[in-house]
Amino acid sequence: MSMGVNSATLKRRLGIIDAVRRAGFLRTEALADQFDVSMVTIRSDLAYLQSQNLVIRTNGGAQPAHDCAVNAPLDESPTLFEARALARAVAFRLQPGQCVFLDNSQAASFVPVHATAENLRFVVNSFETYHLASRCSDAAVSLLGGEYDRLGYPLISPAANHALSFYDLDLAVISVSQIGKPGFSCLDQTGNCLDAAIYQAKQVFLLTDRLDRVDEDAHLFEWRDTMSVLHGGSPPDGAVLCQDWSVFADNPSSPD
C-alpha cells in the first residue's frame, strides 16, 4: 500500500481485507460499524482496495478478490489481533541489512508493514505477500516464483527451491500450528520451500499462539539450535504478549 497512507488508515485497510476474507462477503454498513468510521471512509477504503485487486465491491459490500481468500489451505491460524502482534514482535527484532524469508501465513505477511530497519530484503513465494510488502515497505522484495495452482498458491517446486539457494538467509519466519517437545508442524501447507528455508537460514523464528500441543500423526520438524519461538498469548487485560521462548527440546538438534 502507498507509503503516503497514514498508519491508522493502513491498519484499518489491512483489517478490512482480513474481515472480508474471513466472512466471504461483508456489507458496507457492517464494515463501517466494525471499524467505527463513516460510510464515506469505508467506501473510499473499498475503492482503494479494489484498485489494488485486494477486494471486489459488489451488492453494497465487498468480497475477496480471489476465491482462494476465504478457504485458504491454512487452519488453526492466529486471530488478526494475534497475527499483527506476532508480526510486530518479529519486526522489532530485525536488524539492518538482513535477508528474511517469510512463509505464506497471515502473521508473516504483516512483518513488512511494521519493519523499520534499513536495507532489508524479504524473500517470499506468495503473490499477496509480495504485493503487500512492496506497497507498504521500503525494503527490497523478491518473489521466488516456481509453480502455482489456478488460485495462485505455490506448489512444491524444484525451481522455487533452486531460486532460494541463491539467497543468504539471515532469518526465516515460520508460523506453526502445533508445537511441543517432539517438534513442530508448519501452519503453511502450500509447499513454499519451508524445508529449504528452515535449514538454510541462520536463524528461525517460529510464530505461534499455542504451546505444548502436538498431533502425533502430523509431519513434525525437529528442533535445531537456530530456532526460537515467538509466542502470542492473551493475558486478562486483553493485551497480546510476544516474547522469545527457549527451544522446547532438552537437546536441540544441531545441523548435520
Side-chain angles (χ1 to χ4, degrees), residues 172-195:
V173 180
I174 308 293
S175 290
V176 301
S177 58
Q178 302 178 65
I179 191 166
K181 285 189 176 182
F184 63 93
S185 58
C186 295
L187 182 61
D188 179 5
Q189 298 294 322
T190 56
N192 72 333
C193 316
L194 296 186
D195 295 70

Side-chain angles (χ1 to χ4, degrees), residues 112-234:
V113 176
H114 301 287
T116 58
E118 296 181 348
N119 301 319
L120 294 172
R121 176 177 292 278
F122 293 109
V123 180
V124 304
N125 199 26
S126 159
F127 289 118
E128 291 188 14
T129 303
Y130 175 81
H131 290 304
L132 180 60
S134 298
R135 292 169 187 148
C136 69
S137 171
D138 288 328
V141 186
S142 298
L143 181 65
L144 289 174
E147 299 179 24
Y148 296 82
D149 65 18
R150 65 182 182 85
L151 298 179
Y153 285 114
L155 302 173
I156 296 175
S157 169
N161 282 331
H162 180 67
L164 186 64
S165 68
F166 288 95
Y167 293 95
D168 185 16
L169 295 181
D170 296 294
L171 175 67
V173 180
I174 308 293
S175 290
V176 301
S177 58
Q178 302 178 65
I179 191 166
K181 285 189 176 182
F184 63 93
S185 58
C186 295
L187 182 61
D188 179 5
Q189 298 294 322
T190 56
N192 72 333
C193 316
L194 296 186
D195 295 70
I198 287 171
Y199 292 109
Q200 186 175 321
K202 299 181 181 71
Q203 185 178 19
V204 180
F205 281 172
L206 303 176
L207 312 184
T208 184
D209 61 341
R210 299 168 179 83
L211 297 173
D212 288 326
R213 179 183 177 192
V214 173
D215 180 354
E216 294 182 357
D217 295 328
H219 171 63
L220 297 180
F221 288 87
E222 294 183 353
W223 290 109
R224 299 168 66 87
D225 56 9
T226 56
M227 296 175 176
S228 58
V229 179
L230 286 172
H231 170 238
S234 299

Side-chain angles (χ1 to χ4, degrees), residues 93-127:
R93 291 163 172 80
L94 297 182
Q95 300 298 315
Q98 284 189 318
C99 182
V100 183
F101 173 86
L102 303 175
D103 74 0
N104 290 344
S105 66
Q106 181 175 244
S109 72
F110 285 150
V111 171
V113 176
H114 301 287
T116 58
E118 296 181 348
N119 301 319
L120 294 172
R121 176 177 292 278
F122 293 109
V123 180
V124 304
N125 199 26
S126 159
F127 289 118

Side-chain angles (χ1 to χ4, degrees), residues 82-94 111 114 205 207 230-232 241-244:
E82 292 164 337
R84 285 179 174 171
L86 289 166
R88 285 194 297 269
V90 173
F92 178 76
R93 291 163 172 80
L94 297 182
V111 171
H114 301 287
F205 281 172
L207 312 184
L230 286 172
H231 170 238
L241 175 66
C242 291
Q243 65 184 99
D244 285 306

